[in-house]
Amino acid sequence: MQVHFGVDQLQAEWPKALVCVGTFDGVHLGHQAVIRQSVSHAREAQEPAILVTFDRHPAAVLAPERCPPAIASIPANLRMFESLSVAVTVMLPFTYDLSQTSAEDFYQTILVNKLRASAIVVGHDFAFGHGRLGTAEWLKERIETTIVPPFELDGLRVSSSAIRAAILDGRVEHARRWLGRPFELFGVVVPGQRLGRTIGYPTANLARSFNQAVPRDGVYACEAQTDFGVFRAAVGIGVRPTIESDGQRTIEAYLLDFPGTSLYGTSMSLRFLKRLRNEERFDSVEALKVQMESDVALARIAG
């Protein structure tokens, strides 16, 4: 898959293309249905399947105080697009100027002139352009447009907002079902207070680099993707009330069967499989150690 950040350097040599447009935060099952539809139509027409999306939620520019946290990172979204056989992804920087672009200008300048769209696929709730005037029905008046209906699972519509709410509430199993894969939290490993070492459970502290949704405080069974392989992990999120700490909320992963190589300064992602329990204050460090033994045993076998 080829990736363009913006369209300034894009020089399309294809005569026509099937274009799919959307925000696609997290690339959940509903998004996947839209993208698969576009790829299928593109193959039937023997045209490249081009996906147009944005580098941030529009609210990050238009209403920063109400901007929701992201479900996934840009690289993670790009990997999903590629796995769905998208030929070219165009990642547009969502700036104030772009937000003021009319639907007609966006359609003519980017979709038609730059990408040479012959047909477009969008989700049922799609809208673009200043004032969101470029609805799916608006597109149908100008170009062949396929509108993909809502994707439902167990009678509920799958949406980014519902998945985000599930993550923030700690319902990672629900998020996993709606995403079609485990929710994944990204960051780099940094030194912490090294309190876990004192009780026999050294942890890797995850520091994030963007505003991503973080599950509610508690202990979770995860898979940790590291530079040294994939390991099961018991992950604690919270302020560590039993051990004297600075009171800062942390994300700490105890990696099972880890060989002991230093992870400091490396990237790590955590795939959340199951919520094990709430964060608790224990009467003693010994009581905490007993509970952690149980947490680790459950993290090892969690499906």
Side-chain angles (χ1 to χ4, degrees):
M1 182 181 74
Q2 298 182 31
V3 180
H4 288 269
F5 290 92
V7 295
D8 290 346
Q9 302 301 313
L10 192 152
Q11 299 178 17
E13 293 186 350
W14 49 82
K16 295 186 295 182
L18 194 294
V19 178
C20 174
V21 191
T23 302
F24 303 125
D25 181 20
V27 199
H28 57 61
L29 292 177
H31 296 148
Q32 292 173 40
V34 174
I35 296 168
R36 285 194 175 95
Q37 185 87 277
S38 68
V39 170
S40 175
H41 288 353
R43 287 179 174 170
E44 290 175 3
Q46 297 183 329
E47 298 172 2
I50 300 178
L51 185 146
V52 177
T53 189
F54 307 96
D55 68 346
R56 72 202 76 180
H57 194 286
V61 172
L62 302 176
E65 71 284 355
R66 293 189 284 106
C67 182
I71 294 173
S73 68
I74 288 175
N77 287 338
L78 290 173
R79 287 194 294 270
M80 282 299 301
F81 299 153
E82 185 167 31
S83 74
L84 293 165
S85 299
V86 171
V88 179
T89 289
V90 177
M91 181 81 62
L92 298 176
F94 195 93
T95 62
Y96 179 77
D97 287 344
L98 182 63
S99 76
Q100 300 303 300
T101 302
S102 70
E104 189 66 43
D105 281 349
F106 186 94
Y107 168 73
Q108 287 292 343
T109 302
I110 296 178
L111 301 184
V112 175
N113 296 343
K114 272 289 185 180
L115 302 181
R116 302 185 180 179
S118 64
I120 292 176
V121 176
V122 294
H124 70 285
D125 55 354
F126 174 77
F128 69 101
H130 183 58
R132 292 177 58 83
L133 297 181
T135 63
E137 294 299 332
W138 182 94
L139 277 171
K140 288 188 75 170
E141 296 174 358
R142 291 159 174 78
I143 192 171
E144 180 184 341
T145 301
T146 299
I147 304 173
V148 181
F151 187 92
E152 294 188 352
L153 202 60
D154 302 327
L156 299 174
R157 184 168 73 88
V158 174
S159 69
S160 292
S161 58
I163 292 169
R164 193 177 294 111
I167 294 167
L168 295 174
D169 194 42
R171 293 179 286 115
V172 295
E173 295 97 328
H174 288 86
R176 178 180 182 177
R177 180 162 170 74
W178 296 332
L179 285 167
R181 64 194 187 282
F183 165 70
E184 196 166 3
L185 192 63
F186 302 89
V188 296
V189 180
V190 297
Q193 292 182 286
R194 296 181 170 89
L195 298 175
R197 296 175 185 273
T198 65
I199 59 173
Y201 289 96
T203 57
N205 292 265
L206 194 71
R208 297 172 297 137
S209 63
F210 67 103
N211 182 26
Q212 187 181 11
V214 175
R216 181 163 61 96
D217 290 358
V219 177
Y220 297 84
C222 293
E223 283 182 342
Q225 173 72 56
T226 76
D227 288 352
F228 307 98
V230 179
F231 302 88
R232 278 300 177 104
V235 176
I237 299 176
V239 297
R240 299 166 295 177
T242 302
I243 300 176
E244 184 177 346
S245 67
D246 57 10
Q248 295 294 315
R249 192 181 191 218
T250 61
I251 304 166
E252 297 182 289
Y254 174 70
L255 277 55
L256 282 64
D257 307 318
F258 187 69
T261 306
S262 175
L263 288 168
Y264 294 148
T266 65
S267 64
M268 183 172 71
S269 67
L270 299 172
R271 301 176 189 138
F272 285 73
L273 306 177
K274 185 177 182 179
R275 181 178 174 87
L276 300 180
R277 62 176 175 88
N278 295 331
E279 183 177 50
E280 303 175 50
R281 179 187 293 276
F282 294 89
D283 293 335
S284 67
V285 172
E286 286 303 315
L288 172 60
K289 289 176 65 175
V290 170
Q291 180 61 59
M292 290 185 70
E293 288 176 8
S294 175
D295 296 338
V296 168
L298 290 173
R300 188 180 293 278
I301 63 174

